[in-house]
Each structure stands twice: as C-alpha cells, then as structure tokens.
C-alpha cells in the first residue's frame, strides 16, 4: 500500500458547531435516548419501528445543519495531500461529504444509507424508512446502515493498514471512549506515527498523544490544516 502520510479520525465534536448533538457532552444524545433502545441489534429485533423512527428523525434533521469550517478545511487538506490522506469518521452524518470530502470511511455507518438484512446490499436513502421499506436490489427487508453497539465496525482492515503506514495520526472531536476507534492512537503510535489531538476537552498527559491542540474545531482545525506539512 502507498505510504499514507496522514490519517484523520473524527468524532461527534467536529459536527457540534454545526448544531448536531454530541453523544456524551452535556445535553448529549445519550441523555435523550437510551443506547439500549435505539443502537443495539436487540433493540432492532425488539422494536424495529422505534429504531427506524429514531434514525428517520436524525436523517430528516440533517439538511438544517451545514458543514462548518472544520469539515471544509479537512476537505481542502484531502485535495492537497491526495491519496496520502485518509479520513475516517465515527459520525453517521453527511457533513464531511457536504463539506467537500471525496472519500470518507464511516466506520459506524451512514445515516444516508439503508442496508438489506438478507444480502447486505447498501443503498442511498433520504426518505422515511418504514417497516415495509424493501431493498430495491433484492426485495429483502432493510435496516438503517448504522453499526450498533456490539456490532463490528466497518472498513477495519483498510483502517488498520493505513494506521500501520502513516507518518501522522490526528483525532478530532472525539471523547475516545468507544473502541476500536479509541485504540487507533496507540496502534498508530506503535508503528511510529506522530499523534495529534484536536479537541474541546484535551487529554493532557495521554501517553500516546504527542501534540494536544485544545479548542473548538472551527477555530483549531482550519489553522492546523493550513500549517500541515
Ligand atoms: P463499546 O464497548 O466500544 O462502547 C462502550 C462505550 O460506549 C462506553 O465506554 C460508554 O462510553 C459508551 N456506552 C455504552 N453504553 C452506554 C450507555 N448506555 N449510555 C452512554 N454511553 C454508553 O461499544 P461496544 O458495545 O463494544 O460496541 C462495539 C462497536 O459498536 C463500537 O466499536 C462501534 O463500532 C459500534 N458502535 C456504533 C455506534 C453508533 O452509533 N453507530 C455507537 C457505539 C458503538
Ligand atoms: N470542537 C471540538 N471538539 C468538541 C466540540 C467542538 N466544538 N464540542 C465537543 N467536542 C468534543 C468533546 O470534548 C468530546 O470529547 O467532542 C467529543 C465528543 O465526544 P462524544 O460525544 O463521546 O462523541 P464520540 O467520541 O464521537 O463518540 C464515539 O460513541 O455513542 C457512540 O456512535 C457514537 O460514534 C460515536 C461513538
């Protein structure tokens, strides 16, 4: 694989200034919904309508939120670095794409897609998913294309390969409490990468993080992207 100079991981914090709730901050998503009710395989089996309504609600609300300066700066950095740059996100929103990013690995899934439960067909979906929505390819029942707690994240082989071959790994707007994303910094470090954190709450003293840039994503990310060499 061609050496990746920079791998970036983003979390909910990069979309906070676009008005999207984070998960664990104050007034976070998980203060309003129980993970067990909307983000586990058991929840989907137990009450599929509740789960589908939850993701319909999030999907319908997305167009009201615009990508912010941090999303846009990362898209420009991707353009400048080309295939030596890889963006991985834990977010299921489409703000990176709407901010201009061409290639985004959504390791926790994508709100704008559904997946068929029989043949894993994935397809773009911007409407209201109901219990009768069927896969346009094979007619099977479908589900939100979201990775639930307890399920295996997406693109892990490609992400691990990139982390083993990068000069720098940066993590932006994530509390680093959910694995395996939370383990990427130690993994990259073990392969010799320089690790940078850009976050509102900064993990000073974290043994794997070389550089901590504390602040709001729209303030610190554009400056960091411009100066990245
Ligand atoms: P995990 O054990 O990696 O996550 C545990 C963390 O999730 C905890 O440290 C806590 O911060 C948080 N958490 C768990 N239950 C919670 C609750 N009830 N309220 C608030 N926070 C809670 O998760 P897992 O079960 O091992 O899942 C493994 C994989 O599931 C993750 O690695 C990820 O790929 C996927 N996932 C997807 C989403 C999503 O929204 N799509 C969310 C979380 C995890
Ligand atoms: N600028 C930069 N960072 C911010 C901002 C901001 N304006 N606002 C909040 N943050 C930081 C917070 O300090 C926190 O560290 O963003 C982080 C958000 O953390 P979480 O809410 O835990 O979101 P995230 O790390 O993405 O969660 C990981 O857990 O529940 C799952 O599906 C969920 O994929 C998500 C995963």
């Amino acid at each position: 694989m061609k050496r990746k100079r920079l791998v970036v991981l983003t979390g909910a914090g990069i979309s906070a200034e676009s008005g999207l709730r984070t998960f664990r901050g104050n007034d976070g998503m998980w203060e309003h919904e129980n993970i067990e009710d909307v983000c586990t395989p058991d929840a989907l089996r137990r009450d599929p309508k509740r789960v589908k309504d939850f993701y319909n609600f999030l999907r319908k609300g997305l167009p009201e939120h615009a990508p912010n300066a941090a999303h846009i700066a990362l898209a420009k950095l991707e353009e400048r670095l080309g295939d030596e740059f890889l963006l991985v996100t834990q977010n299921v929103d489409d703000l990176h794409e709407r901010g201009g990013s061409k290639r985004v690995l959504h390791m926790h899934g994508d709100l704008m897609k559904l997946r068929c439960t029989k043949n894993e067909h994935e397809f773009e979906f911007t409407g209201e998913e109901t219990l009768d929505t069927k896969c346009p390819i094979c007619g099977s029942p479908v589900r939100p294309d979201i990775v639930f707690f307890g399920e295996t994240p997406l693109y892990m082989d490609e992400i691990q390969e990139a982390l083993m071959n990068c000069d720098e790994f940066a993590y932006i707007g994530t509390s680093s409490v959910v694995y395996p994303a939370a383990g990427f910094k130690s993994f990259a470090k073990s392969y010799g990468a320089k690790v940078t954190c850009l976050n509102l709450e900064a993990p000073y003293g974290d043994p794997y993080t070389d550089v901590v840039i504390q602040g709001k994503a729209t303030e610190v990310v554009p400056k960091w992207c411009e100066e990245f060499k």
Side-chain angles (χ1 to χ4, degrees), residues 8-228:
V8 171
L9 169 72
T10 61
I14 198 166
S15 298
E17 289 159 89
S18 295
L20 287 181
R21 271 202 179 103
T22 62
F23 290 90
R24 291 170 194 86
N26 49 359
D27 195 32
M29 177 76 76
W30 301 134
E31 286 173 22
H32 294 263
E33 287 288 347
N34 264 326
I35 284 179
E36 288 71 17
D37 294 335
V38 293
C39 195
T40 65
D42 185 48
L44 187 64
R45 276 190 294 276
R46 190 173 62 243
D47 189 348
K49 185 178 181 318
R50 171 149 189 194
V51 173
K52 296 186 180 208
D53 286 351
F54 176 63
Y55 291 102
N56 284 337
F57 167 73
L58 294 183
R59 184 182 310 114
K60 265 195 312 189
L62 265 186
E64 292 152 36
H65 302 277
N68 63 52
H71 297 106
I72 293 164
L74 285 173
K76 288 189 181 137
L77 187 57
E78 175 192 48
E79 204 174 337
R80 179 157 66 87
L81 296 185
D83 64 8
E84 294 189 332
F85 174 91
L86 179 66
L87 176 60
V88 181
T89 187
Q90 299 172 93
N91 299 341
V92 294
D93 63 59
D94 62 345
L95 294 184
H96 279 302
E97 288 84 352
R98 284 162 56 205
S101 289
K102 298 286 179 283
R103 190 148 175 280
V104 185
L105 298 190
H106 283 269
M107 65 178 286
H108 284 176
D110 185 339
L111 252 187
M112 309 311 283
K113 287 185 181 161
L114 296 182
R115 173 161 32 102
C116 95
T117 51
K118 193 154 165 247
N119 301 306
E120 302 276 301
H121 293 131
E122 263 187 356
F123 54 98
E124 292 290 328
F125 187 81
T126 55
E128 288 255 329
E129 184 193 357
T130 69
L131 296 177
D132 301 327
T133 307
K134 293 285 183 273
C135 171
I137 302 160
C138 67
S140 306
V142 295
R143 60 168 274 182
D145 197 7
I146 297 291
V147 176
F148 293 145
F149 278 97
E151 293 182 327
T152 309
L154 306 174
Y155 309 109
M156 283 309 294
D157 292 346
E158 185 170 351
I159 294 168
Q160 279 175 347
E161 180 76 12
L163 292 172
M164 290 162 72
N165 290 285
C166 67
D167 298 312
E168 293 208 37
F169 171 70
Y171 57 106
I172 303 174
T174 178
S175 59
S176 298
V177 295
V178 174
Y179 285 81
F184 289 175
K185 53 186 174 174
S186 57
F187 188 75
K189 187 85 185 165
S190 70
Y191 282 89
K194 172 186 169 186
V195 176
T196 301
C197 171
L198 298 95
N199 205 58
L200 194 62
E201 292 141 16
Y204 290 109
D206 174 81
Y208 307 107
T209 304
D210 301 300
V211 176
V212 174
I213 303 173
Q214 181 165 9
K216 289 185 168 183
T218 56
E219 288 160 15
V220 299
V221 174
K223 185 170 179 301
W224 178 76
C225 288
E226 269 157 44
E227 291 168 0
F228 183 83

